[in-house]
């Protein structure tokens, strides 16, 4: 099972992966947005890392850690990804309330709640060329794999594949939410930066929990 130390390790791994990917994410956002997505995500996960670092993990429950992550991400990020990921972590926190450690089923519930939180916060549907196009299929794949008896590691591998397919599919979508929706058909042919960063986040989660 995953304890708060495991969750902290996971957030640290996401921060590293996003930092490595920062320039590519800014470039993707430069094509159909305002070129700040990599900076926003790096600021957000950097702030989460800094906020989690001083916590006494033996005295911190998963819900409190995730709420700390939510608050620090929200405070650090002015871009649209700020409230979206903050809501994801807040919903994830609520999904594991009362748990001292997370069994596979708990983590799947957390993951599903994150994706649902992003959708609820931004009101984007599948096909509108946003991070929802990566997060929602990823959560569905993880939940289905878990229900079929797969391990957490296998379920997150399935989630990552679904996120990759979802992000790739945003190339053929016209943006209908967020800044890039102003481009209309000119957004066609380009990967959505938020969907691309979702793949990076989910990939780091899978790797750190494998
Ligand atoms: P901003 O557009 O404010 O600069 P970012 O560059 O950090 O914000 O994030 C842009 C990404 O946010 C988009 O690529 C898209 O994936 C995501 N996004 C924007 N609006 C929404 C929404 N309503 N629902 C879900 N995701 C959204
Ligand atoms: Mg942007
Ligand atoms: Mg911006």
């Amino acid at each position: 099972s995953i304890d708060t130390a495991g969750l902290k390790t996971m957030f640290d791994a996401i921060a590293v992966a996003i930092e490595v990917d920062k320039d590519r994410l800014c470039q993707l956002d430069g094509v159909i947005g305002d070129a700040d997505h990599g900076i926003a995500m790096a600021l957000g996960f950097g702030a989460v890392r800094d906020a989690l670092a001083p916590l006494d993990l033996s005295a911190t429950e998963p819900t409190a850690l995730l709420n700390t992550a939510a608050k620090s991400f929200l405070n650090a990020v002015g871009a649209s990804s700020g409230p979206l990921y903050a809501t994801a972590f807040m919903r994830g926190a609520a999904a594991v309330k009362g748990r001292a450690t997370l069994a596979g089923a708990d983590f799947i519930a957390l993951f599903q709640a994150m994706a649902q939180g992003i959708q609820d916060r931004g009101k984007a549907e599948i096909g509108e060329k946003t991070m929802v196009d990566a997060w929602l299929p990823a959560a569905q794949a993880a939940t289905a794999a878990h229900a079929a008896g797969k391990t957490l590691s296998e379920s997150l591998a399935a989630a990552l594949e679904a996120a990759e397919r979802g992000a790739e599919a945003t190339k053929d979508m016209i943006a209908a939410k967020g800044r890039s929706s102003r481009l209309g058909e000119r957004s066609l042919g380009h990967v959505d930066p938020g969907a691309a960063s979702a793949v990076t986040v989910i990939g780091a989660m899978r790797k750190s929990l494998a």
Side-chain angles (χ1 to χ4, degrees):
S1 67
I2 301 157
D3 58 7
T4 45
L7 288 176
K8 179 174 176 291
T9 301
M10 179 191 84
F11 277 110
D12 290 345
I14 299 171
V16 169
I18 286 292
E19 191 61 41
V20 167
D21 208 21
K22 185 162 99 173
D23 291 347
R24 182 186 71 106
L25 297 174
C26 281
Q27 280 159 14
L28 288 173
D29 197 28
V31 181
I32 61 167
D34 58 354
D36 65 351
H37 187 60
I39 293 165
M41 292 292 283
L43 273 174
F45 282 104
V48 171
R49 182 195 53 220
D50 294 348
L52 300 187
L55 289 184
D56 175 3
L57 295 178
S58 64
T60 307
E61 294 210 320
T63 292
L65 183 147
L66 289 159
N67 278 325
T68 299
K71 203 185 295 176
S72 51
F73 200 100
L74 186 64
N75 288 341
V77 179
S80 358
S81 41
L84 292 166
Y85 272 96
T87 304
F89 301 144
M90 263 168 49
R91 293 292 191 81
V96 298
K97 199 163 163 51
R99 297 275 191 274
T101 64
L102 309 183
D106 298 319
F107 193 86
I108 295 292
L110 187 165
F111 194 80
Q112 176 77 50
M114 286 178 65
Q116 194 57 54
I118 289 171
Q119 187 178 35
D120 291 347
R121 186 67 179 79
K123 305 264 183 290
E125 300 295 334
I126 291 280
E128 293 191 313
K129 199 181 182 93
T130 71
M131 62 175 77
V132 164
D133 290 303
W135 269 106
L136 223 55
Q140 280 159 2
T143 301
H146 180 74
K150 304 286 190 194
T151 64
L152 179 61
S153 178
E154 290 166 342
S155 301
L156 289 177
L160 179 58
E161 276 179 34
E164 284 167 347
R165 275 196 302 276
E168 185 63 23
T170 63
K171 272 188 187 170
D172 301 320
M173 296 174 189
I174 297 172
K177 284 284 188 306
R179 191 176 297 280
S180 56
S181 63
R182 299 173 199 168
L183 290 182
E185 291 197 355
R186 280 181 293 142
S187 66
L188 270 175
H190 309 288
V191 173
D192 175 66
S197 66
V199 172
T200 304
V201 169
I202 294 166
M205 291 171 90
R206 188 204 69 82
K207 213 168 148 191
S208 91
L209 299 175

